[in-house]
Amino acid sequence: MLNFTVGPVQSSECVRAIGAENVPYFRTPEFSNLMLENERMILDFANAPEGSRAIFLTGSGTAAMEAAVMNALTRADKALVVNGGSFGTRFVQLLQRHDIPYDEIKLERGQPLREEDLARYEGGDYTTFLINACETSTGVKYDMDIVAQFCKRNNAFLIVDAISYFLAEEFDMTELDAGIMITGSQKALACPPGISILALAPSALEKIASTSVKCMYFDLKDALKNGERGQTPFTPAVATLIQIHERLKEIEALGGAQEESRRIGALARYFRNALVDLPFELATASPCASVTSLHPTTASAYDIFTTLKDEYEIWVCPNGGELRDLVFRVGHIGALTTDDYDVLLDAFRDMQRRALI
Ligand SMILES: *Cc1c(COP(=O)(O)O)cnc(C)c1O
């Protein structure tokens, strides 16, 4: 099987080998050290400001999105949220669920964020800005610089869901002055799903300390306190955390986050440059390096997904809802090489010969 979805993605051999081991007991100095190293490497790769902390929450990416909303916002806040697809909609649903007043910048699917989309919200007393740096459902990358400038001008606390962006694009928490960066184990970290990560700037730590959270599992105060000694309040996904450690060390040894995003960017370019003779159009003018969204002009996107899976043992990522037949996605995260893309491109050419596309 060759997996080009956007998560879970293919893992390196050493990460997979850990999955075959028994899960060790974790209330030990050894596991604490591993967790402290995990925290250090995440904060380093995100270039988080001095005094930041990272939390590893057992739960998928949405768990960290919900924890961010519950710990950094109250009903006294006013949020501004970018909604350009299903992950933007998820932030909106979380704000609704937790009774946080908000306004929504609704974008067409695949549409980049422009200065003029932000202009009418200028001076709107927003305390918090929420955005998915990459809206994975359409593969669109948002211009984080104009977002950061908007937040600085308007004194808004910035929460970035970088789940499919972190390590695929350069992400600098300090430069963006982001309060919270969220990522997850099954995207560019290329580990099994189950862990979501919050990098928290000192501004976020202040908010967490003063917010009363009506939920035990998602109250980050306890997680921060336990994390000081490299522990978690409850049993975490121990094996996944050990795999994350292996993977973070692997990235560090190969030159760090910058080098990893360069590698992923090169794979994305390799694939996009090879598409010229195929009947696909890019579904967004501003694609993120982690994923290429394609609109097939001669066949149903969902049929292409099914044929690749059933007849070629290749997985691309289908879309749901109204995009089901219009768009499919090819990921560039995980343990993939240009040879793997050659296999996919050959399959497309074979499907072309068979008049399937
Ligand atoms: C994958 C992803 C998530 C997390 O989804 P889960 O299924 O909860 O892991 C959230 N936001 C974005 C932008 C994503 O790509």
Side-chain angles (χ1 to χ4, degrees):
M1 185 186 101
L2 202 43
N3 180 358
F4 295 98
T5 67
V6 278
V9 299
Q10 298 195 155
S11 300
S12 64
E13 222 164 288
C14 35
V15 166
R16 279 185 289 146
I18 293 164
E21 301 276 324
N22 271 319
V23 180
Y25 182 66
F26 68 103
R27 299 285 188 208
T28 61
E30 289 78 11
F31 188 73
S32 294
N33 280 341
L34 178 146
M35 287 299 286
L36 291 171
E37 282 188 23
N38 279 353
E39 179 173 22
R40 174 188 63 75
M41 288 186 278
I42 287 289
L43 295 177
D44 180 26
F45 294 168
N47 196 29
E50 196 64 35
S52 295
R53 296 285 309 278
I55 287 177
F56 296 78
L57 206 56
T58 294
S60 79
T62 308
M65 292 169 76
E66 184 149 28
V69 168
M70 290 171 81
N71 284 267
L73 287 149
T74 71
R75 290 172 198 193
D77 281 291
K78 187 177 168 197
L80 184 60
V81 56
V82 174
N83 181 2
S86 52
F87 292 106
T89 302
R90 193 163 303 177
F91 261 146
V92 170
Q93 288 168 334
L94 287 168
L95 293 167
Q96 287 170 345
R97 173 69 63 122
H98 294 284
D99 296 320
I100 313 292
Y102 71 93
D103 283 325
E104 178 180 355
I105 304 177
K106 201 123 170 58
L107 301 176
E108 293 296 316
R109 289 180 187 278
Q111 186 201 312
L113 182 71
R114 300 156 307 183
E115 297 268 12
E116 54 262 45
D117 299 312
L118 293 171
R120 56 183 286 223
Y121 300 96
E122 210 73 55
D125 293 330
Y126 296 102
T127 59
T128 309
F129 192 107
L130 299 101
I131 186 166
N132 321 94
C134 168
E135 171 51 76
T136 321
S137 65
T138 60
V140 64
K141 172 175 80 171
Y142 294 131
D143 183 340
M144 290 307 299
D145 290 334
I146 64 171
V147 170
Q149 283 155 18
F150 177 92
C151 289
K152 279 176 197 160
R153 278 196 306 276
N154 290 274
N155 198 23
F157 181 77
L158 175 58
I159 299 177
V160 185
D161 166 3
I163 295 182
S164 65
Y165 188 98
F166 181 61
L167 298 174
E169 296 274 352
E170 281 189 33
F171 185 84
D172 190 322
M173 251 182 110
T174 303
E175 200 175 286
L176 295 175
D177 198 15
I180 301 180
M181 187 279 289
I182 300 165
T183 192
S185 54
Q186 82 274 30
K187 303 284 167 86
L189 268 176
C191 286
I195 293 287
S196 56
I197 301 166
L198 297 117
L200 305 160
S203 55
L205 299 174
E206 262 173 50
K207 283 186 187 285
I208 293 166
S210 68
T211 307
S212 143
V213 177
K214 292 274 168 289
C215 172
M216 194 162 91
Y217 201 83
F218 284 149
D219 189 342
L220 298 180
K221 285 187 268 304
D222 251 9
L224 284 168
K225 186 91 199 90
N226 279 262
E228 285 171 15
R229 58 187 177 100
Q231 284 289 326
T232 52
F234 318 110
T235 308
V238 177
T240 309
L241 287 164
I242 297 172
Q243 288 171 308
I244 288 173
H245 185 251
E246 188 66 31
R247 173 71 174 130
L248 289 172
K249 280 196 312 184
E250 187 179 275
I251 294 169
E252 193 164 62
L254 290 171
Q258 246 180 355
E259 186 53 31
E260 181 61 7
S261 58
R262 195 205 56 75
R263 189 188 68 79
I264 292 173
L267 281 181
R269 272 194 308 281
Y270 181 82
F271 175 67
R272 288 169 194 161
N273 288 339
L275 290 173
V276 277
D277 295 326
L278 290 165
F280 306 140
E281 287 167 357
L282 285 185
T284 173
S286 167
C288 182
S290 54
V291 56
T292 302
S293 266
L294 293 170
H295 167 53
T297 51
T298 56
S300 146
Y302 201 83
D303 289 349
I304 293 173
F305 155 72
T306 307
T307 306
L308 284 171
K309 171 171 71 69
D310 293 345
E311 298 179 31
Y312 297 86
E313 290 182 57
I314 293 173
W315 290 70
V316 294
C317 209
N319 270 68
E322 62 197 44
L323 295 180
R324 185 181 185 274
D325 289 310
L326 298 178
V327 173
F328 70 94
R329 292 165 294 162
V330 174
H332 309 298
I333 49 183
L336 290 165
T337 63
T338 52
D339 287 350
D340 295 327
Y341 286 95
D342 289 341
V343 173
L344 174 62
L345 290 160
D346 280 345
F348 283 142
R349 288 184 201 110
D350 193 56
M351 285 172 71
Q352 218 172 8
R353 269 192 293 280
R354 296 170 63 201
L356 294 172
I357 55 172

